[in-house]
Amino acid sequence: MGTVKGQNKKRRVTIKDVALYANVGVGTVSRVLNNSPHVTLETKQKVLAAIRELGYTPNPYARYLSVGTSNLVTVIIPEMKGDFYQMLLSGIDEVLVKHGYSSILYPLYNNRRYEALKKSSELLLSTDGIIVDAVSVDGVLKDLLNHNTPTVCVEQESEMFDSVMVDNYYGGVIVGDYFADLEMEIFVVTHRKSHELESTVFDERLEGFQASLEKKGRNIDKIYYVPLDWESAFEVARRIFSRHKRCAIFTTTDYLAVPIIEVARTVGLNVGKDVRVCGFDDLPIAQVLGITTIKQPIHEMGKIAAEMLIKRIKGKAKDKVAKVILKPELVIRET
Amino acid sequence: MGTVKGQNKKRRVTIKDVALYANVGVGTVSRVLNNSPHVTLETKQKVLAAIRELGYTPNPYARYLSVGTSNLVTVIIPEMKGDFYQMLLSGIDEVLVKHGYSSILYPLYNNRRYEALKKSSELLLSTDGIIVDAVSVDGVLKDLLNHNTPTVCVEQESEMFDSVMVDNYYGGVIVGDYFADLEMEIFVVTHRKSHELESTVFDERLEGFQASLEKKGRNIDKIYYVPLDWESAFEVARRIFSRHKRCAIFTTTDYLAVPIIEVARTVGLNVGKDVRVCGFDDLPIAQVLGITTIKQPIHEMGKIAAEMLIKRIKGKAKDKVAKVILKPELVIRET
DNA sequence: CTGAAAGCGCTTACAG
DNA sequence: CTGAAAGCGCTTACAG
């Protein structure tokens, strides 16, 4: 079965081997591989048999080189904890799949992964398109992104690429308007962008909140900055409730609201009355725990991003950079 | 800059253009691209300048075709919620990066993504190696995986590939031994594998638990099956504690323990006394909430998987399929 | 319907 | 140190 040519190194079986084995030209093999209608059933079966016998698998890189398209889209996200990214990605996938594309994920949740991306950026970023959530395309990713490959940004603005985002500042304003009338101390639990891979959305939400409060003659009594994990949020929550039995807390994401509520309830406070909590995002968990929050259309945002990208890929987009800004809204629940 | 040859379609600038522009051969351009030491500083700078002027970016697919290696490893996981995968991936990355590889992630959290994987499997799975967590390689992925590309399995056994996992059955046994002495009703909250993309670890843990209990003459009073999300776990928790004020609950992952404890505490039960809860995994959240649990070395498991894979890639592994089974251990905390 | 051949954009011995 | 050329494994007009 096919003379091994001299060396005993395993040589990959190629389309040529198949052609030889099936007694046809490589073009014909390629045609059955690509389901071309212009092949006799007979030859087709001959080729298929050869493929099976030889255990042939096509080399996609060669194909790509030839046709110049991978049907792959790279999605870059800053981390993968929580429900947010799964929701976003499912929106993206919904439209991508419809157009025959698949997505690969690249979470940039620490510096090591950033370094790895830089090293292998070429292959990872040479897909047909790129969607970047939160991680700054005009900043850290600037030198990695190729201006010629279609790119769209989510949760951030960009001078170079299309973008879709929720008006985070405005979301903060809504919460401020809501909290301003409450006769209690006002705290914020948020995450401050601490290194360049992180998102700025939390800061924007905080700014809007602050501005709205000021306008109404109130101010934030204290801001607690925490890393984006529950361990830290739990600690802060314990600290808060050991001193304060009555307060309103704005957590700039529902993710951080969960521990706050857990601790408040554990120490016996009446959440919704003595303690008021407002989150952001409207993650599934917010519905379960009855968290008052700012709803943003995550799934929708993913769909829009993918649609913008497809447009760019197909060359149907305008030259000008497009920008879609979605409005968030307040959802009042028990907390 | 550079005459457009006839048509006005944007043609990608290639190594040839650079060579022409810099007045050198393509081989030389390639050499500076790959940091070959055999280039004069002078020509190197000439080439670099040309690259900059022309805005050249190399085509990685062509490179791959030529050298036959991508330095990329594909990691397939069943979902991305919770801390587990980030821990696993960081273990994998730690050793991968050391060897010059980068990882791309493919979460298979729903059927659409599975279909997309099938469609684009060639490119996605033609990296230098593959690590598959939980999703059955001998089952659903069987026809997608190429026997020639190095592959290692995590959290599952395989007849074809190397694997590393924790002894989940034994972990269940430990919990059983621990619960058998408790004089209260025994419940289980777990997830049952409901479609083929999901993991079987929960079932294995449950089996071990059941076996151990039986041996000691006890049995599970009720098993609650839930989807792997908090929404459902919260519901079940409310159901349980509306009827039972005293019980021991084994949740087959810490992830499911969180809502249980939250609800128990909310309704005023003394968790650790009236209500006992034991989780599985020892996720960070388990430490924060003081959850008694079965600790499994997730990060370590990732490292081992990557090391096995590297061995296969370098051809240094034995022919026989390797299997590493790690032992879990009980960590007693407040609950 | 099918084969021979050119081409995709790189890398890498091989000469010089 | 550097250039010309072969080769990586496909696809796709072009003839037939």
Side-chain angles (χ1 to χ4, degrees):
Chain A
M1 190 153 306
T3 334
V4 181
K5 314 206 176 126
Q7 56 270 25
N8 43 13
K9 259 204 173 185
K10 270 185 233 166
R11 204 174 47 79
R12 182 172 185 138
V13 16
T14 74
I15 202 175
K16 222 166 164 180
D17 300 316
V18 176
L20 238 52
Y21 191 89
N23 235 288
V24 299
V26 292
T28 303
V29 177
S30 176
R31 281 180 205 106
V32 349
L33 245 29
N34 294 293
N35 282 313
S36 159
H38 309 298
V39 191
T40 337
L41 186 61
E42 195 190 358
T43 50
K44 181 170 179 175
Q45 286 175 336
K46 224 171 29 175
V47 171
L48 254 20
I51 288 177
R52 216 175 310 114
E53 316 264 287
L54 262 31
Y56 166 76
T57 55
N59 180 332
Y61 298 93
R63 165 170 233 284
Y64 177 97
L65 187 57
S66 206
V67 300
T69 174
S70 63
N71 285 324
L72 237 39
V73 166
T74 302
V75 179
I76 296 179
I77 59 179
E79 42 159 332
M80 42 195 262
K81 282 186 200 166
D83 290 306
F84 183 91
Y85 297 103
Q86 208 148 310
M87 294 171 77
L88 184 73
L89 200 55
S90 85
I92 291 174
D93 277 338
E94 188 175 322
V95 353
L96 242 38
V97 166
K98 210 176 291 170
H99 291 269
Y101 289 85
S102 294
S103 63
I104 65 176
L105 243 208
Y106 200 89
L108 268 184
Y109 56 76
N110 65 24
N111 230 59
R112 187 185 297 130
R113 286 190 68 81
Y114 178 52
E115 294 304 327
L117 177 64
K118 274 203 274 192
K119 256 195 225 152
S120 313
S121 66
E122 288 154 9
L123 239 187
L124 285 169
L125 303 180
S126 290
T127 47
D128 291 348
I130 303 178
I131 295 178
V132 183
D133 178 274
V135 185
S136 166
V137 299
D138 293 347
V140 279
L141 297 180
K142 189 167 187 187
D143 298 328
L144 298 180
L145 264 19
N146 183 331
H147 284 199
N148 296 323
T149 93
T151 302
V152 353
C153 311
V154 181
E155 291 204 284
Q156 66 176 307
E157 296 189 68
S158 163
E159 294 179 359
M160 334 240 59
F161 304 114
D162 292 346
S163 55
V164 50
M165 74 205 84
V166 156
D167 191 338
N168 284 290
Y169 183 91
Y170 176 69
V173 168
I174 305 178
V175 184
D177 290 351
Y178 178 59
F179 271 22
D181 300 330
L182 265 32
E183 292 174 352
M184 25 176 100
E185 281 189 287
I186 296 177
F187 299 139
V188 172
V189 176
T190 188
H191 174 67
R192 177 157 44 187
K193 180 178 166 122
S194 64
H195 72 270
E196 39 180 20
L197 293 180
E198 293 181 329
S199 171
T200 60
V201 293
F202 308 112
D203 294 327
E204 290 160 23
R205 292 166 189 176
L206 175 56
E207 274 171 39
F209 182 64
Q210 208 149 17
S212 155
L213 242 37
E214 261 169 37
K215 211 168 176 182
K216 302 224 173 183
R218 295 210 50 176
N219 63 300
I220 302 173
D221 291 287
K222 181 145 190 185
I223 302 178
Y224 295 87
Y225 290 101
V226 295
L228 263 188
D229 59 66
W230 277 0
E231 293 84 317
S232 315
F234 267 103
E235 251 171 57
V236 163
R238 291 199 200 96
R239 197 135 42 93
I240 293 176
F241 296 122
S242 69
R243 283 192 224 136
H244 308 275
K245 304 302 173 197
R246 186 179 155 75
C247 57
I249 302 178
F250 172 38
T251 61
T252 52
T253 164
D254 294 339
Y255 186 75
L256 292 176
V258 175
I260 303 288
I261 290 166
E262 146 90 7
V263 171
R265 286 181 178 156
T266 303
V267 302
L269 298 176
N270 182 338
V271 179
K273 191 153 164 280
D274 303 325
V275 174
R276 304 292 286 268
V277 177
C278 180
F280 207 111
D281 287 343
D282 198 28
L283 301 178
I285 190 68
Q287 296 171 35
V288 175
L289 294 183
I291 302 175
T292 295
T293 191
I294 299 296
K295 174 175 181 157
Q296 59 167 323
I298 305 174
H299 188 267
E300 182 68 17
M301 199 157 64
K303 283 176 64 174
I304 294 175
E307 274 156 9
M308 291 172 110
L309 187 68
I310 296 286
K311 257 194 202 164
R312 285 278 167 208
I313 292 177
K314 309 259 184 203
K316 284 185 190 157
K318 298 183 183 148
D319 271 352
K320 229 177 27 191
V321 166
K323 187 177 299 182
V324 174
I325 298 184
L326 304 170
K327 283 289 172 196
E329 60 188 71
L330 180 65
V331 179
I332 297 185
R333 298 207 179 88
E334 301 147 35
T335 67
Chain B
M1 196 151 304
T3 335
V4 182
K5 314 207 175 124
Q7 58 269 26
N8 43 13
K9 258 205 173 184
K10 270 185 232 166
R11 202 175 47 82
R12 181 172 186 139
V13 14
T14 75
I15 202 174
K16 221 165 163 181
D17 301 316
V18 176
L20 237 53
Y21 192 88
N23 235 285
V24 299
V26 292
T28 303
V29 177
S30 178
R31 280 178 205 107
V32 349
L33 243 29
N34 293 292
N35 280 313
S36 159
H38 309 299
V39 191
T40 337
L41 186 62
E42 195 190 358
T43 50
K44 181 171 179 175
Q45 286 175 335
K46 221 168 36 175
V47 172
L48 254 22
I51 289 177
R52 214 175 312 113
E53 316 267 286
L54 263 31
Y56 166 76
T57 56
N59 180 334
Y61 298 93
R63 166 171 231 284
Y64 178 100
L65 186 58
S66 206
V67 300
T69 174
S70 63
N71 287 323
L72 238 40
V73 166
T74 302
V75 179
I76 296 179
I77 59 180
E79 41 158 333
M80 43 195 261
K81 280 185 200 167
D83 290 306
F84 183 91
Y85 296 103
Q86 206 148 312
M87 293 170 78
L88 183 74
L89 200 56
S90 84
I92 291 174
D93 277 337
E94 189 175 322
V95 352
L96 243 38
V97 165
K98 210 177 290 170
H99 291 269
Y101 289 85
S102 294
S103 63
I104 66 176
L105 244 207
Y106 200 88
L108 269 183
Y109 57 76
N110 64 25
N111 229 59
R112 187 186 297 134
R113 286 192 67 81
Y114 178 52
E115 294 304 327
L117 177 65
K118 274 203 274 192
K119 255 196 227 153
S120 314
S121 66
E122 288 154 8
L123 239 188
L124 286 169
L125 302 181
S126 289
T127 47
D128 291 347
I130 303 177
I131 294 178
V132 183
D133 180 274
V135 185
S136 168
V137 299
D138 293 347
V140 277
L141 297 181
K142 190 168 187 187
D143 297 328
L144 297 180
L145 263 20
N146 183 332
H147 284 201
N148 296 324
T149 93
T151 303
V152 354
C153 310
V154 181
E155 292 203 283
Q156 67 176 309
E157 296 187 69
S158 164
E159 294 178 0
M160 335 240 59
F161 304 115
D162 294 345
S163 56
V164 50
M165 74 205 83
V166 157
D167 190 339
N168 285 290
Y169 184 91
Y170 176 70
V173 168
I174 305 178
V175 184
D177 291 350
Y178 177 59
F179 271 22
D181 300 330
L182 265 32
E183 292 175 351
M184 25 176 98
E185 281 190 287
I186 296 177
F187 299 138
V188 171
V189 176
T190 188
H191 174 67
R192 177 156 45 187
K193 181 178 165 123
S194 64
H195 72 271
E196 40 180 21
L197 293 180
E198 292 181 329
S199 172
T200 61
V201 295
F202 308 111
D203 294 328
E204 290 160 22
R205 293 166 188 175
L206 175 56
E207 276 171 37
F209 182 66
Q210 207 148 17
S212 155
L213 242 36
E214 262 169 34
K215 210 168 176 182
K216 302 225 174 183
R218 297 211 47 179
N219 64 299
I220 302 173
D221 292 286
K222 180 143 192 190
I223 302 179
Y224 295 87
Y225 291 100
V226 294
L228 262 187
D229 60 64
W230 277 0
E231 293 82 317
S232 315
F234 267 102
E235 252 171 56
V236 163
R238 291 199 200 97
R239 199 134 42 91
I240 293 177
F241 296 122
S242 69
R243 284 194 222 129
H244 308 275
K245 303 303 174 197
R246 188 179 153 76
C247 58
I249 303 177
F250 172 39
T251 61
T252 53
T253 163
D254 293 340
Y255 186 76
L256 292 177
V258 174
I260 303 289
I261 290 167
E262 146 90 8
V263 172
R265 285 181 178 157
T266 303
V267 302
L269 297 176
N270 182 337
V271 179
K273 193 152 165 280
D274 302 325
V275 174
R276 304 292 285 267
V277 177
C278 181
F280 208 113
D281 288 342
D282 197 29
L283 300 178
I285 189 69
Q287 297 171 35
V288 175
L289 293 183
I291 302 175
T292 295
T293 190
I294 299 294
K295 174 177 182 155
Q296 60 168 323
I298 305 174
H299 187 267
E300 182 67 15
M301 199 157 63
K303 282 176 66 174
I304 294 175
E307 274 156 11
M308 292 173 110
L309 187 67
I310 296 286
K311 258 195 199 161
R312 285 278 166 209
I313 292 177
K314 308 259 183 202
K316 285 186 190 157
K318 297 181 185 150
D319 272 353
K320 231 178 27 193
V321 166
K323 188 178 299 181
V324 174
I325 299 184
L326 303 170
K327 283 289 172 196
E329 59 188 72
L330 180 66
V331 179
I332 298 186
R333 298 207 180 90
E334 301 148 35
T335 67

